[in-house]
Amino acid sequence: EASQILKTYEHLLTDSVQVIRKNAVTKSKYRTSRSVRLPPLGDPLIFRIERRAAQLAGRNGTIPPTHCEDFQLTCYATDELYGLHRDDASPAPGRPSANRSATVLIYLQAPTSGGATLFTRRPLEDETDD
């Protein structure tokens, strides 16, 4: 499955961007990878993987497909990164956010060296390129 995904979608990768406001994006310094959103419909392989991910992420069963975001294929070259960031929309000050109940990461290739994913409970300010 991993090799088929890479073969099918690798040529569509573009520089990852940071969303500034609705419908406005800019190249980011804290996210220096290349990525592409994968189609949820039309590719049976992606659909099967999304179903399995929804089953894994669901605490009491499967998360409904209507509650799942499109998968993203992201590739990192040497020295590229996705810096520490919130993995949901930023909540109002003093309020918890609950718009993303689970994140599923699927690694298609192991790095030859380096590479790490860190989850923290520490409150984060909105990530910026300042």
Side-chain angles (χ1 to χ4, degrees), residues 11-43:
H11 72 281
L12 298 174
L13 293 166
T14 59
D15 288 342
S16 299
V17 294
Q18 175 187 20
V19 174
I20 301 297
R21 290 179 245 26
K22 262 191 170 170
N23 302 323
V25 295
T26 185
K27 191 168 178 176
S28 177
K29 295 175 193 166
Y30 78 91
R31 185 175 183 186
T32 58
S33 55
R34 294 175 303 128
S35 61
V36 63
R37 288 198 178 271
L38 300 180
L41 301 173
D43 185 330

Side-chain angles (χ1 to χ4, degrees), residues 1 4-5 8-9 37-56 62-72 104 106:
E1 290 175 330
Q4 184 62 41
I5 290 170
T8 304
Y9 295 104
R37 288 198 178 271
L38 300 180
L41 301 173
D43 185 330
L45 173 60
I46 300 301
F47 182 71
R48 286 192 311 271
I49 294 170
E50 285 182 341
R51 276 199 334 238
R52 291 196 320 254
Q55 289 170 340
L56 285 170
T62 301
I63 293 176
T66 55
H67 289 68
C68 296
E69 298 175 35
D70 293 347
F71 271 20
Q72 292 182 53
V104 176
I106 302 169

